[in-house]
């Protein structure tokens, strides 16, 4: 399975990073070994001093597709969850400066804590899913998928031009403003609506 991630898909986050809003979805990938499931703790890696959280709505792909057309894109995902795209911001900054690929800053082991998934029927309005992240009981990120620059269909069409999407693949749809660092001992709680769906302790 593949994990696709989208950079700068909320204007407020692009602004806080001092980046322009992209004209096309910015796609990168994490390997399957990035997944951290069942609310397991995250162990702070020794190669970074600046791990940032990025809370994101995640789509689960339910069938294989290539060159998916916009009118059919909604049939390619069947469930939604919440994930954190942990980012070694210090390494990412160095990679960006040098124009190097940033996999080591984004795709390292356990860099993608993920909640369970819920079927689409569980959501009142798929185009406006509210989600949030708390750090030590303080809300640090609040998002609403209504503010996605590229919506689910845009993402599926764009990604499937380059990569065959396959049953079980995941798409991290991007993070809203409020990203920031974690320290050992921090406790993160992710919510979709009012429901706590993801817990992650930093050790
Ligand atoms: Zn992200």
């Amino acid at each position: 399975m593949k994990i696709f991630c989208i950079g700068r898909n909320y204007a407020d986050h692009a602004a806080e990073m001092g980046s322009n809003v992209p004209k096309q979805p910015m796609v990168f990938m994490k390997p399957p070994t990035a997944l951290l499931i069942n609310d397991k703790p995250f162990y702070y890696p020794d190669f970074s001093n600046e791990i940032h959280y990025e809370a994101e709505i995640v789509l689960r792909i339910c069938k294989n597709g290539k060159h998916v057309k916009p009118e059919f894109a909604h049939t390619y995902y069947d469930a939604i969850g919440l994930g954190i795209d942990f980012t070694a911001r210090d390494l990412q900054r160095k990679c960006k400066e040098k124009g190097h690929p940033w996999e080591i800053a984004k795709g390292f082991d356990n860099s993608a804590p993920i909640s369970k998934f819920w079927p689409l029927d569980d959501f009142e309005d798929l185009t406006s899913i509210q989600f949030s992240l708390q750090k030590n009981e303080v809300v640090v990120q609040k998002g609403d998928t209504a503010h996605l620059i590229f919506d689910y269909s845009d993402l599926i069409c764009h990604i499937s031009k380059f990569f065959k999407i396959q049953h079980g693949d995941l798409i991290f749809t991007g993070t809203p403003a409020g990203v920031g660092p974690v320290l050992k001992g921090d406790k993160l709680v992710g919510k979709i609506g009012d429901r706590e769906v993801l817990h992650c302790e930093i050790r």
Side-chain angles (χ1 to χ4, degrees):
M1 58 86 70
K2 306 186 286 303
I3 305 167
F4 299 105
C5 301
I6 308 300
R8 296 181 210 160
N9 204 14
Y10 289 89
D12 58 355
H13 172 61
E16 76 178 348
M17 300 298 289
S19 305
N20 295 327
V21 170
K23 292 196 174 66
Q24 287 191 327
M26 256 181 64
V27 182
F28 59 95
M29 288 163 85
K30 293 180 187 251
T33 42
L35 285 183
L36 184 62
I37 59 169
N38 297 333
D39 285 346
K40 285 187 188 151
F42 172 81
Y43 288 88
Y44 205 106
D46 56 10
F47 52 73
S48 173
N49 293 309
E50 197 183 0
I51 299 288
H52 276 199
Y53 55 77
E54 297 187 357
E56 315 198 358
I57 289 293
V58 182
L59 305 182
R60 191 179 68 190
I61 298 297
C62 59
K63 61 181 180 183
N64 297 1
K66 178 87 187 154
H67 295 297
V68 174
K69 294 201 169 72
E71 59 268 39
F72 301 120
H74 69 280
T75 65
Y76 282 82
Y77 59 96
D78 68 347
I80 285 178
L82 188 77
I84 298 174
D85 165 20
F86 275 133
T87 303
R89 198 69 76 197
D90 44 358
L91 295 187
Q92 189 193 31
R93 205 176 297 120
K94 279 184 204 158
C95 293
K96 279 183 178 174
E97 279 167 16
K98 293 181 182 162
H100 288 176
W102 65 24
E103 269 81 358
I104 57 167
K106 283 285 197 180
F108 54 87
D109 294 346
N110 303 326
S111 61
I114 187 97
S115 72
K116 287 184 211 151
F117 283 83
W118 285 270
L120 303 183
D121 290 352
D122 275 27
F123 298 89
E124 226 167 82
D125 180 1
L126 286 175
T127 64
S128 177
I129 297 173
Q130 285 85 40
F131 62 103
S132 65
L133 187 74
Q134 294 179 3
K135 184 172 86 170
N136 305 327
E137 297 179 5
V138 176
V139 176
V140 287
Q141 284 193 285
K142 265 184 137 172
D144 184 328
T145 58
H147 301 137
L148 284 170
I149 296 169
F150 301 104
D151 66 18
Y152 311 142
S153 292
D154 296 334
L155 299 179
I156 286 169
C157 294
H158 183 76
I159 289 169
S160 69
K161 281 182 203 167
F162 303 92
F163 306 98
K164 181 188 203 176
I165 54 171
Q166 292 170 293
H167 180 264
D169 287 351
L170 301 177
I171 303 177
F172 279 62
T173 57
T175 199
V179 301
V182 290
L183 298 171
K184 286 180 187 175
D186 284 347
K187 290 191 172 76
L188 301 177
V189 176
K191 287 187 179 183
I192 297 179
D194 294 327
R195 182 158 52 176
E196 287 189 9
V197 296
L198 180 64
H199 298 86
C200 184
E201 188 186 331
I202 315 300
R203 291 196 187 157

